[in-house]
Amino acid sequence: MGAFETEPFDTATVALARTAAALTQDGSLISVAGGGDTVAALAHAGVKDEFTFVSTAGGAFLEWMEGKPLPGVAALTA
C-alpha cells in the first residue's frame, strides 16, 4: 500500500495486512501474497505466517497465478 518501512506511512499497509490475516484465520478468506516487498510488509505487520500462501517470487508468482508454466517447476516434473 505504500512506504511501509516508515511510520506513519505504514498505517494502511499494516491495517490491510492485519485485516486480511484475521479474515484468513477465521476462515472467511483464502489469502495469497507474492513478492519480496510484499512478504517484508507482511512481516512488518506481524502476519506473514497467518496467510494461506506466501511466495517471495514476484513476477514468477504472478505468472504461476495466471496458469503459465514455470521453467524451474516444469524441469522438476519432467
Side-chain angles (χ1 to χ4, degrees):
M1 297 283 310
F4 68 89
E5 303 91 346
T6 307
E7 293 182 3
F9 305 109
D10 65 339
T11 303
T13 301
V14 170
L16 181 61
R18 288 181 179 165
T19 298
L23 291 170
T24 301
Q25 294 304 303
D26 77 10
S28 301
L29 180 72
I30 294 174
S31 54
V32 179
D37 287 338
T38 301
V39 174
L42 295 177
H44 175 78
V47 297
K48 182 179 63 125
D49 295 331
E50 297 176 28
F51 272 53
T52 307
F53 181 78
V54 176
S55 171
T56 57
F61 174 71
L62 291 175
E63 289 188 16
W64 175 77
M65 291 290 293
E66 292 173 1
K68 294 179 182 176
L70 299 179
V73 174
L76 295 173
T77 59

